[in-house]
Amino acid sequence: MKRTLSALLLSSALAFSQIPLPYPIFDQDAVHEIKITFANEDWFQVLTDNYDGVRAENPYFPASLEWGSYKMENIGVRFKGNSTYSASRGQKKPFRLKLNEFVKGQKIEGIGSFSLSNAWNDPSFVREKLYYEMAAALGIKAPRSNFAALYINGKYWGLYVLTEVINSDFLKNYYGKGDDEGNLYKGNIGANFAYLGEDKEAYKAAWEKQSNEEADDWTDLIALCKLITETPSAELRAKLEPIMDIDSVLAALALDNATVNLDSYVGMGQNFNVYKRASDNRWIWIPWDPSLAFGALSQGQTIDGMKTLALEWVNTGGGFGGGGVPPGGGVPPGGGVPPGGGVPPGGGGPRPGGQQAVGRPLATKLWEVPEYKERYRQIYQQLMTKAFDSANVIARANALREMIAPWVEKDTQKLVTQEQFDNAMTQDATGTGPGGAGPGGQGGQAGPNGGGIPGLTPFITARADFVNGKLAEAPASTMAVTADRASLAFTQSGTTAPAAQTISLTLNGTAVTAFYGLSTSVESGGAWLSVTPASGPVAGSFKVTATGKLDPGTYVGKIKVAVPGAVNSPVEIAVTLTVQ
């Protein structure tokens, strides 16, 4: 039976364009058997020699692939990652598979690239998938994930977390053809939106351009950084709202905070993407690599401190931890050492690409705007009410772990001990794993969690209790969205399309600016139901079109109107099309 969070999590959308069609890779919980064969026996050394850091254009090495019914003779394989690569001193390195690196158009279900993460510093193996499912449930554009049993040259190499890569395929699948041509940037350590002048080279050490690379035009990102850095908080809303999907940012901030995912923008200043959507030139936030969520990266704090992390916590000490002061109280971060080692902690001094330790201005400035602070609390409240019920999240984690347990037991190269995996739900993990880089230590270096990795059950329970208590102390204003029509009926005579109809939306109970997102579904007949625009401000309106080359009969569809933070979101509107 398919197990998802859909029964307990919110089904909504932020700046919604479309939901990717269900793919066999991701539409059911599974451990996919992926078999890679290299012609060269020294493939591991070749991939090691090719690896040149997380921001480098590491070359792909050819291999053949067998994955269920798919067989491909020539795909590209390389190592990937930063901490997950450098701190895993065994041979269980993380991989990137690029199916169309050597054969143009070679994909599986519309996806050409996959990430295989080695669950470094996650004894449970499920942190990343749990986070992505919660992100999707909140309506955040986020990768989908599952699990893979990887075989290399006939040998079982280990269990990996399988994730789609954020690239042109991702943009096309989530935004649709024609709305996938904007600029996509990935933030690495130091990508704090500091303005570094007009020279694009100053940004390249901390940011990666992931689309339109040949044009090498960075003017839009530079302009965004300048606006965020130089605009006073009092003026930020008027200048930023027209060019950025604020809800997508606030939702990601809330999710990272709730799950204490400090290997993110607010903590390490990395592992996120911003995409300038082509249709309206607005920036959208896309999270990436939450494998250290649920307290697996401490930024120098204790486990108890992470359980009581302030709701507007941000690391003000630069990209590498230390020196942070959480707005609104809570436990301040300590002097953590970055995963992978080599760079000292602290709040001062230059960062990669000249980035100075100026904190996280996008987050702190948004929270300084009263309307956005209220909006953040509304979205956070919705997250906790519909997505972060601790009992349900724990049950989901246990179900996933039951499925993967046989594969973990057979994984002789896993970066944790079997005992650490077995106890990952109930006990904090400390010490060093068999690969020399287990939880709470990195083979003699100060690990990202010197005090250990939290057991998921007590951590999730305590974190949810703390957050719910804080939200109850200062509850966000109640907001509800209202559509002026509960249903629509269209009649099509022959091939003559019926006239479009309009739905108007209003908000009740608050004056805070909000944005709707739309999704559509039909029971049969193909893509006969469409809406435009797919997102916009509330109050507002959208047009509904129902037409297609259909046989005579009656067709049934549905529109979902999602407004993050609204207590009644999503609102459903029934649609019928009668073809005569």
Side-chain angles (χ1 to χ4, degrees):
M1 181 179 69
K2 179 180 177 181
R3 294 172 176 168
T4 70
L5 284 172
S6 59
L8 55 109
L9 298 184
L10 169 67
S11 174
S12 78
L14 299 167
F16 192 87
S17 288
Q18 65 181 42
I19 295 176
L21 295 173
Y23 293 156
I25 300 169
F26 299 115
D27 67 350
Q28 293 189 22
D29 295 341
V31 177
H32 294 268
E33 293 191 48
I34 298 177
K35 300 176 181 179
I36 296 173
T37 302
F38 294 97
N40 301 54
E41 290 299 325
D42 62 344
W43 64 269
F44 189 90
Q45 186 61 50
V46 173
L47 265 61
T48 301
D49 294 341
N50 285 348
Y51 179 82
D52 191 26
V54 66
R55 288 189 284 267
E57 291 295 330
N58 299 307
Y60 286 89
F61 194 57
S64 63
L65 171 75
E66 183 177 341
W67 183 347
S69 62
Y70 293 95
K71 294 184 179 180
M72 300 177 181
E73 294 301 321
N74 198 5
I75 70 164
V77 182
R78 67 171 175 85
F79 291 142
K80 75 171 196 75
N82 184 11
S83 310
T84 54
Y85 174 86
S86 60
S88 54
R89 293 192 176 85
Q91 287 197 314
K92 192 182 179 182
K93 301 294 187 182
F95 292 87
R96 176 71 58 84
L97 309 182
K98 190 171 183 181
L99 310 185
N100 54 357
E101 173 67 10
F102 304 115
V103 180
K104 186 177 180 179
Q106 187 167 252
K107 300 180 182 183
I108 294 178
E109 303 294 339
I111 302 175
S113 294
F114 295 90
S115 170
L116 293 174
S117 300
N118 58 2
W120 173 77
N121 232 57
D122 178 13
S124 75
F125 273 73
V126 299
R127 280 174 160 83
E128 186 168 354
K129 184 165 175 58
L130 284 176
Y131 178 101
Y132 278 141
E133 289 184 347
M134 295 174 74
L138 249 191
I140 298 172
K141 295 286 191 297
R144 294 161 295 178
S145 66
N146 225 324
F147 298 95
L150 180 64
Y151 294 81
I152 300 181
N153 286 10
K155 175 185 177 182
Y156 177 49
W157 207 254
L159 181 72
Y160 284 77
V161 181
L162 171 69
T163 307
E164 64 180 324
V165 175
I166 300 173
N167 58 10
S168 59
D169 293 333
F170 179 93
L171 298 177
K172 186 177 297 182
N173 289 331
Y174 277 86
Y175 296 99
K177 188 172 178 58
D179 203 9
D180 59 338
E181 299 172 354
N183 284 335
L184 174 69
Y185 298 89
K186 178 177 182 287
N188 295 307
I189 291 178
N192 54 17
F193 292 98
Y195 175 58
L196 307 175
E198 295 299 314
D199 185 357
K200 61 188 176 185
E201 298 302 322
Y203 297 83
K204 291 186 176 181
W207 296 89
E208 291 180 71
K209 203 167 194 292
Q210 302 277 289
S211 65
N212 304 314
E213 295 98 319
E214 292 185 7
D216 199 30
D217 182 0
W218 291 62
T219 55
D220 53 359
L221 179 68
I222 294 171
L224 179 64
C225 291
K226 184 175 184 179
L227 187 154
I228 292 170
T229 300
E230 298 184 352
T231 302
S233 298
E235 303 173 13
L236 188 65
R237 183 181 176 190
K239 293 185 177 181
L240 189 59
E241 197 164 285
I243 65 168
M244 176 169 272
D245 177 6
I246 303 298
D247 278 356
S248 73
V249 181
L250 295 176
L253 292 175
L255 182 58
D256 284 333
N257 184 275
T259 61
V260 194
N261 178 34
L262 304 187
D263 195 22
S264 64
Y265 173 66
V266 295
M268 293 292 289
Q270 65 170 354
N271 285 334
F272 66 93
N273 297 261
V274 286
Y275 173 59
K276 193 173 184 182
R277 188 173 49 202
S279 60
D280 61 2
N281 289 320
R282 295 178 77 220
W283 294 95
I284 311 297
W285 193 276
I286 306 172
W288 175 248
D289 191 14
S291 58
L292 299 180
F294 301 99
L297 173 68
S298 67
Q299 294 264 273
Q301 300 184 76
T302 66
I303 290 176
D304 286 342
M306 289 187 291
K307 291 175 182 176
T308 58
L309 192 77
L311 270 58
E312 288 87 27
W313 182 90
V314 64
N315 174 16
T316 60
F320 299 107
V325 179
V331 180
V337 175
V343 182
R351 298 307 184 202
Q355 300 269 19
Q356 298 298 311
V358 295
R360 305 292 177 259
L362 180 56
T364 54
K365 283 190 171 182
L366 287 178
W367 289 327
E368 289 170 0
V369 178
E371 294 87 350
Y372 290 152
K373 176 69 171 292
E374 176 73 2
R375 190 88 184 96
Y376 175 71
R377 289 295 180 112
Q378 289 174 336
I379 293 172
Y380 209 140
Q381 182 66 62
Q382 190 181 40
L383 164 66
M384 299 306 296
T385 301
K386 298 185 177 181
F388 205 169
D389 178 278
S390 57
N392 287 329
V393 176
I394 291 166
R396 176 63 173 152
N398 281 322
L400 291 172
R401 283 169 46 79
E402 181 181 355
M403 178 185 70
I404 65 176
W407 299 97
V408 175
E409 185 174 0
K410 293 190 297 183
D411 184 353
T412 60
Q413 300 195 106
K414 57 181 173 284
L415 303 176
V416 298
T417 66
Q418 184 63 39
E419 182 180 8
Q420 286 170 336
F421 172 77
D422 292 340
N423 297 329
M425 292 301 297
T426 58
Q427 297 181 21
D428 301 337
T430 58
T432 300
Q442 297 183 31
Q445 298 184 53
N449 264 16
I453 309 302
L456 282 179
T457 296
F459 188 83
I460 290 170
T461 301
R463 182 63 183 153
D465 288 346
F466 173 81
V467 170
N468 285 324
K470 288 297 181 183
L471 290 173
E473 290 176 6
S477 59
T478 301
M479 180 175 67
V481 58
T482 301
D484 65 345
R485 301 174 69 178
S487 62
L488 298 175
F490 294 85
T491 300
Q492 177 175 319
S493 298
T495 59
T496 302
Q501 299 186 44
T502 300
I503 296 287
S504 295
L505 303 173
T506 56
L507 284 178
N508 300 324
T510 181
V512 175
T513 300
F515 288 82
Y516 71 81
L518 305 178
S519 61
T520 62
S521 61
V522 296
E523 293 184 3
S524 61
W528 56 265
L529 178 61
S530 62
V531 291
T532 183
S535 64
V538 185
S541 62
F542 59 90
K543 289 187 176 182
V544 182
T545 302
T547 184
K549 296 180 179 180
L550 303 171
D551 295 331
T554 299
Y555 300 85
V556 179
K558 185 185 299 181
I559 300 170
K560 285 188 177 181
V561 182
V563 177
V567 294
N568 63 334
S569 177
V571 172
E572 295 187 356
I573 300 169
V575 182
T576 58
L577 171 62
T578 301
V579 179
Q580 298 176 344

